[in-house]
């Protein structure tokens, strides 16, 4: 009997690890104004009180020592857990063969032991969208040879023993690499890349857009046959995966960079009447007002990169977020890779230095991202009832010199140790 009591007590103490009072901090809820000299009470991994909170019996007290508490950041586009060393094919689990792969789930291929995950997490990023397919890259497309529907993107926590423990949303979105009209660009010519005539590129483009629309119509036919309980219907896993998209339960994440491609993508969205998110938008041009008119959210890619064309303003990419903000378009940031996934706060910070209000920049990597992915009732801000994905810093969230002191995911403390810190300590101690 005594053994059972001690065992129960041990489990109770273990469970209490996700219950604590973090006090003597400045809280930045994001959903409202900052609260100075405040505290955050967390019970069973969820936030139960914010502000002037008194200590409760049996709850561990953590002294924030004047630090700042922010909601964990969300990277809205990565390949975390799916790619380790790009030159070694066995460590890469993106870019599957096939034009239409809606049944493929990124989540079940995530490797929790990826070295990129703790490196990214240590910079205050507690969750991320991981993509089943890489972005489309340069070169003309040949009909029937390039992936268009890459599969289902997943929203994951950046901590967990297994992909099941990391899961937030198994099917956060269906990723579509929208066809583009690829002709020569300044950068391609400068680097010696190939080019194709506009007429040929446009022919490939029209062919692929038709293929995509035809596939959606095929999925609708399958959906109708299933609702009618047709006896001739043979189960098709790919078309089964399309049904939640057609029903509006799962959004479509459309990669579309240039104005011309964005215009075609908007026409496709209107025709198919689907819930959509535009990703990797780089040159929206006149289509920005059309995006706003449809209230379609946007995921911006790396704002730190150089302009694509020689006559672009030097700050074109730096100032794009401010342009979307002025237009009233909801947006978040993504890195679309692994090696620089940790740089998410610096992307937002650079945008803040080029016209984007600091509050909007912080919101873009927290609450905006949570709203775009449909989890704002659980994540993205420091509010009662939400999961305690929290980061404690010694300064402004988006400043380069700011240090992350502590991280909690669902109320559980998470180690800041990673390959970078281990190498730093190793070579610091070198004789």
């Amino acid at each position: 009997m005594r053994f059972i009591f001690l065992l129960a007590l041990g489990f109770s103490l273990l469970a209490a690890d996700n219950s604590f009072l973090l006090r003597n901090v400045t809280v930045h809820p994001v959903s409202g104004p900052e609260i100075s000299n405040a505290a955050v009470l967390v019970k069973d991994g969820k936030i139960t009180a914010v502000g002037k909170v008194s200590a409760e019996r049996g709850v561990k007290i953590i002294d924030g020592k004047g630090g700042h508490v922010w909601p964990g950041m969300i990277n809205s586009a990565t390949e975390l857990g799916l790619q380790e060393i790009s030159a070694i094919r066995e460590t890469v689990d993106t870019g599957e063969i096939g034009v239409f792969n809606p049944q493929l789930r990124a989540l079940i291929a995530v490797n929790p032991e990826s070295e990129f995950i703790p490196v990214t997490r240590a910079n205050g990023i507690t969750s991320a969208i991981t993509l089943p397919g890489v972005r489309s890259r340069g070169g003309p497309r040949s009909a029937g040879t390039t992936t268009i529907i890459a599969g289902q993107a997943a929203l994951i926590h950046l901590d967990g023993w297994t992909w099941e423990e990391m899961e937030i949303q198994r099917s956060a979105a269906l990723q579509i690499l929208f066809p583009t009209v690829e002709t020569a660009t300044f950068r391609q010519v400068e680097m010696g890349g190939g080019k194709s005539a506009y007429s040929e590129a446009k022919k490939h483009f029209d062919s692929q857009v038709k293929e995509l629309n035809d596939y959606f119509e095929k999925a609708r036919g399958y959906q109708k046959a299933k609702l009618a309980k047709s006896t001739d219907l043979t189960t098709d896993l790919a078309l089964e995966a399309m049904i939640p998209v057609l029903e509006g339960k799962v959004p479509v994440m459309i990669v579309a960079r240039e104005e011309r491609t964005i215009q075609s993508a908007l026409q496709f969205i209107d025709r198919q009447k689907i819930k959509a998110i535009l990703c990797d938008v780089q040159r929206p041009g006149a289509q920005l007002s059309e995006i706003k008119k449809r209230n379609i959210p946007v995921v911006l890619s790396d704002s730190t990169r150089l302009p694509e064309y020689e006559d672009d303003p030097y700050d074109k990419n730096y100032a794009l977020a401010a342009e979307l903000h002025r237009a009233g378009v909801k947006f978040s940031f993504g890195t679309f890779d692994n090696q620089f996934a940790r740089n998410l706060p610096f992307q937002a910070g650079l945008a803040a230095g080029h016209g984007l209000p600091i509050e909007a920049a912080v919101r873009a990597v927290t609450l905006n991202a949570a709203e775009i992915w449909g989890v704002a009732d659980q994540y993205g801000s420091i509010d009662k009832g939400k999961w305690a994905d929290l980061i404690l810093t010694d300064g402004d969230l988006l400043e380069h010199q700011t240090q992350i002191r502590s991280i909690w995911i669902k109320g559980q403390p998470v180690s800041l140790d990673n390959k970078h810190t281990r190498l730093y300590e190793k070579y610091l101690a070198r004789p």
Side-chain angles (χ1 to χ4, degrees), residues 121-383:
R121 185 178 62 213
N123 223 19
I125 300 158
T126 56
S127 54
I129 288 287
T130 188
L131 304 171
V134 296
R135 290 179 296 170
S136 58
R137 290 180 169 85
R141 294 165 173 262
S142 299
T145 63
T146 302
T147 298
I148 298 177
I149 298 182
Q152 300 172 39
L155 179 61
I156 60 173
H157 270 133
L158 299 190
D159 184 49
W161 288 99
T162 64
W163 62 261
E164 290 93 341
E165 289 184 6
M166 299 172 73
E167 177 184 347
I168 297 177
Q169 271 192 328
R170 183 166 301 194
S171 299
L174 183 73
Q175 185 191 14
I176 293 181
L177 305 175
F178 202 80
T180 60
V181 179
E182 298 280 5
T183 55
T185 66
F186 164 75
R187 189 174 295 276
Q188 285 175 320
V189 172
E190 188 180 57
M191 296 175 66
K195 60 180 181 178
S196 62
Y198 175 80
S199 58
E200 180 187 348
K202 184 66 165 60
K203 181 179 178 181
H204 288 319
F205 168 79
D206 290 340
S207 173
Q208 288 198 308
V209 172
K210 183 179 184 303
E211 276 189 273
L212 180 58
N213 277 302
D214 289 347
Y215 191 79
F216 266 73
E217 294 308 317
K218 180 180 178 181
R220 282 199 168 83
Y222 181 88
Q223 179 190 32
K224 290 178 181 177
K226 188 172 182 179
L227 289 173
K229 298 181 180 180
S230 172
T231 56
D232 298 329
L233 185 65
T234 301
T235 300
D236 186 312
L237 295 180
L239 297 179
E240 285 283 342
M242 291 293 295
I243 293 177
V245 174
L246 300 177
E247 293 175 343
K249 295 176 181 178
V250 173
V252 173
M253 183 181 187
I254 299 180
V255 178
R257 298 171 178 167
E258 307 283 334
E259 180 178 355
R260 183 167 51 194
T261 305
I262 294 169
Q263 182 180 27
S264 297
L266 292 178
Q267 291 171 353
F268 168 74
I269 292 167
D270 291 344
R271 176 174 176 174
Q272 298 299 338
K273 296 179 175 58
I274 51 178
K275 183 179 178 182
I277 301 165
L278 289 178
C279 296
D280 199 10
V281 170
Q282 297 180 14
R283 309 174 72 87
Q287 295 305 309
L288 191 55
S289 60
E290 295 299 317
I291 295 171
K292 170 57 182 173
K293 187 186 298 182
R294 293 166 174 79
N295 287 319
I296 297 174
V298 169
V299 176
L300 294 175
S301 61
D302 186 7
S303 59
T304 67
R305 69 191 185 282
L306 295 173
E308 292 77 21
Y309 300 99
E310 60 180 341
D311 56 349
D312 281 336
Y314 80 93
D315 62 348
K316 182 191 80 68
N317 295 325
Y318 308 156
L320 181 57
E323 185 180 349
L324 265 65
H325 177 72
R326 288 191 296 270
V329 174
K330 180 177 290 185
F331 64 91
S332 62
F333 289 97
T335 54
F336 291 88
D337 62 9
N338 282 338
Q339 61 268 40
F340 300 117
R342 66 186 186 278
N343 289 343
L344 179 73
F346 306 145
Q347 287 185 213
L350 188 60
H354 288 79
L356 181 66
I358 185 65
E359 297 82 4
V362 172
R363 188 181 177 99
V365 293
T366 54
L367 190 54
N368 268 14
E371 290 173 347
I372 288 171
W373 301 113
V375 293
D377 59 330
Q378 302 178 71
Y379 304 97
S381 64
I382 303 177
D383 290 306

Side-chain angles (χ1 to χ4, degrees), residues 51-95:
K52 305 301 180 183
V53 185
S54 300
E56 293 187 9
R57 185 177 180 180
V59 174
K60 177 174 58 179
I61 297 175
I62 302 173
D63 187 357
K65 299 179 181 179
H68 297 257
V69 181
W70 313 79
M73 287 182 280
I74 303 171
N75 191 326
S76 287
T78 73
E79 293 171 356
L80 286 170
L82 300 178
Q83 183 176 147
E84 202 69 11
I85 303 172
S86 59
I88 301 177
R89 181 65 185 90
E90 288 77 10
T91 71
V92 179
D93 211 340
T94 58

Side-chain angles (χ1 to χ4, degrees), residues 43-58:
K43 289 185 178 181
D44 298 325
K46 288 199 172 184
I47 300 166
T48 59
V50 182
K52 305 301 180 183
V53 185
S54 300
E56 293 187 9
R57 185 177 180 180

